[in-house]
Amino acid sequence: MTIGIDITPLLFWGSGVAKYTYNLVKNLLLINKKNKYKLFFVSLKPSKNYPFLQEFKNLGAQIYHYHLPFKTLQIFWQKLNIFPIEWFIGKIDVCYANDFLRSPSKTKTITTIHDLTWKIYPQYHTNEVIKAHEIKLKKTIKYGDTIIVDSENTKNDLLRLYPQIDKNKVFVIYPGVDERFKTI
């Protein structure tokens, strides 16, 4: 099976979503050698600025770097709903979408929703962030994506606020703990 993953969140390294994405990809590459992984991202910076890329290549992933600003990808995928991820990386069997953007792909997609604070506490978020999450979640629902959530609470919030989501397509998978955290 060929799995496409948008790793663009890794460009925002200080965020929890970046760390989540990094660990998800790294561990999939370590434990699953039978699938083929196509990793996609956009950035105007050269690939050498991202040390994780070599690590992912060494673990067998194919990297697709497009020299576009992130804002351009947002316009393509959020506003215009054009250029599915397959346009950039070729045929895939499954796509993993990050928490902020979803390609207009009709390929079976899995996505993670970390929380719904942008919906429950909008006063703590910018209008841009709220709108991006709303658009992404609308597509997630429209295409019937499989959804990973970080907790039972997020699952409950999601199903309460969006009852049209098929509860059988929502799975609680707790984030792992980095190996550097150990009992002393």
Side-chain angles (χ1 to χ4, degrees), residues 5 19-29 96 112:
I5 302 176
K19 288 184 172 104
Y20 175 91
T21 303
Y22 169 79
N23 284 302
L24 174 72
V25 172
K26 178 180 128 186
N27 286 292
L28 281 172
L29 293 170
Y96 176 79
T112 300

Side-chain angles (χ1 to χ4, degrees), residues 26-53:
K26 178 180 128 186
N27 286 292
L28 281 172
L29 293 170
L30 284 169
I31 65 172
N32 186 326
K33 299 294 184 188
K34 69 180 183 179
N35 292 317
K36 181 178 178 182
Y37 291 90
K38 294 181 172 185
L39 309 180
F40 162 83
F41 75 104
V42 297
S43 172
L44 291 174
K45 294 180 182 176
S47 293
K48 67 180 181 181
N49 287 25
Y50 306 110
F52 54 82
L53 294 177

Side-chain angles (χ1 to χ4, degrees), residues 4-122:
I5 302 176
D6 175 9
I7 61 168
T8 302
L10 291 175
L11 307 183
F12 306 99
W13 187 247
S15 73
V17 173
K19 288 184 172 104
Y20 175 91
T21 303
Y22 169 79
N23 284 302
L24 174 72
V25 172
K26 178 180 128 186
N27 286 292
L28 281 172
L29 293 170
L30 284 169
I31 65 172
N32 186 326
K33 299 294 184 188
K34 69 180 183 179
N35 292 317
K36 181 178 178 182
Y37 291 90
K38 294 181 172 185
L39 309 180
F40 162 83
F41 75 104
V42 297
S43 172
L44 291 174
K45 294 180 182 176
S47 293
K48 67 180 181 181
N49 287 25
Y50 306 110
F52 54 82
L53 294 177
Q54 191 57 52
E55 178 183 11
F56 292 164
K57 280 182 191 175
N58 292 344
L59 290 170
Q62 291 178 292
I63 309 293
Y64 296 83
H65 176 188
Y66 285 86
H67 295 273
L68 297 169
F70 177 69
K71 291 281 185 195
T72 301
L73 188 64
Q74 281 184 292
I75 291 168
F76 288 165
W77 288 2
Q78 284 180 339
K79 293 187 181 180
L80 301 175
N81 204 36
I82 59 173
F83 305 132
I85 194 167
E86 294 88 346
W87 193 80
F88 297 99
I89 65 173
K91 185 181 178 333
I92 53 175
D93 299 303
V94 176
C95 181
Y96 176 79
N98 68 62
D99 79 322
F100 199 71
L101 282 178
R102 191 212 187 271
S103 160
S105 172
K106 290 185 173 71
T107 298
K108 179 178 179 163
T109 299
I110 300 167
T111 190
T112 300
I113 297 174
H114 297 282
D115 61 58
L116 291 155
T117 58
W118 56 271
K119 181 82 170 170
I120 299 167
Y121 302 105

Side-chain angles (χ1 to χ4, degrees), residues 120-134:
I120 299 167
Y121 302 105
Q123 66 272 28
Y124 300 112
H125 298 275
T126 65
N127 287 335
E128 180 184 24
V129 166
I130 293 168
K131 187 169 181 148
H133 283 298
E134 284 175 347

